[in-house]
Amino acid sequence: MNNQYEYIEKPLTPGIAKKLIQELFAGQTVQRQKIISDVEETHLERDGLPSRAQFNNPVTLALYNMRREGEASNPDKGANWLIPSSAQDDDSVDPEPNNLDLEPEKIIGSGKQSVYLYYYPVYRRLAELEGKRVWACKIGKARNDPLIRISAQTRTALPEYPKVGLIIKTNEFGLMETTIQNILKLQGKHMQNAPGTEWFLTSPSEVETVYENNFGNLE
């Protein structure tokens, strides 16, 4: 018997599955079926019990719960899932930004915390080809170095690195992130079917304008 395992003789639940997903696949892009099989096998190998759920697989539920909380994503809306190396706002667990070319296009504001926007260049190129001025952008927050936070989220096997379109320095990162996101939601720009909850059809310049109109005189 594995006496070191916290969930010995306990049925697999979404909560247990989440911890195993983060342990086994942090910083990876993995097919959903592999996540399910490896989590179930690991739990059983460590003397846990099978799930008692009759309908919903606990690993699948864990993935969707993690996506809702921004702790996992499936960017191609298919079988591949991205599990960030850290699900925390504190980026102290990763001292280096993974050597990615994450030079921000623009930094504004002041403070020790940040709200950031990044995107994948392919979405911008496609939007420009279609004559559009907005494209899929991720808006998040970081307590410390935003580049480390972004690196942790994008350390995957995707074909290109993200572009950091905007970093807003602040001492109220929670309030600022929520305000900007809510304004974009009211404008109908929230991508409800996108992975996670922080993707919007917008642009760095558009988000900068939202910041200036709401925080420009306060910081």
Side-chain angles (χ1 to χ4, degrees), residues 176-190:
M176 183 174 292
E177 180 201 44
T178 300
T179 300
I180 291 173
Q181 290 183 353
N182 284 342
I183 289 173
L184 293 175
K185 287 178 181 178
L186 287 173
Q187 294 175 347
K189 296 179 178 292
H190 185 218

Side-chain angles (χ1 to χ4, degrees), residues 16-165:
I16 297 173
K18 173 182 174 180
K19 292 188 176 182
L20 289 172
I21 290 169
Q22 292 173 331
E23 173 191 340
L24 297 172
F25 302 109
Q28 299 181 45
T29 301
V30 193
Q31 288 190 339
R32 182 173 63 89
Q33 192 54 50
K34 178 173 174 56
I35 295 175
I36 292 173
S37 61
D38 284 10
V39 167
E40 292 177 340
E41 289 176 6
T42 299
H43 183 64
L44 294 176
E45 288 173 356
R46 295 178 180 180
D47 300 312
L49 299 177
S51 169
R52 293 176 180 170
Q54 297 182 353
F55 301 104
N56 296 318
N57 185 288
V59 184
T60 300
L61 287 176
L63 285 170
Y64 286 113
N65 289 339
M66 292 169 68
R67 184 177 68 178
R68 186 177 64 248
E69 298 299 324
E71 298 172 344
S73 62
N74 58 333
D76 58 2
K77 300 181 183 179
N80 292 323
W81 283 77
L82 279 65
I83 311 299
S85 61
S86 172
Q88 303 173 356
D89 289 322
D90 188 352
D91 47 353
S92 60
V93 298
D94 189 352
E96 298 293 337
N98 199 35
N99 296 321
L100 298 185
D101 182 12
L102 295 180
E103 184 69 25
E105 295 175 349
K106 191 169 188 178
I107 301 176
I108 59 177
S110 62
K112 297 181 179 180
Q113 303 165 352
S114 303
V115 172
Y116 58 79
L117 177 152
Y118 71 80
Y119 60 89
Y120 289 98
V122 63
Y123 295 125
R124 179 172 187 169
R125 291 194 295 269
L126 179 60
E128 291 173 346
L129 287 173
E130 296 177 347
K132 299 177 181 178
R133 298 182 178 180
V134 296
W135 57 90
C137 297
K138 170 72 178 286
I139 299 173
K141 64 181 185 292
R143 188 180 303 277
N144 297 311
D145 188 337
L147 299 186
I148 293 176
R149 174 70 171 155
I150 295 169
S151 175
Q153 294 181 9
T154 58
R155 192 178 338 187
T156 70
L158 292 175
E160 62 178 351
Y161 293 142
K163 288 291 185 181
V164 183

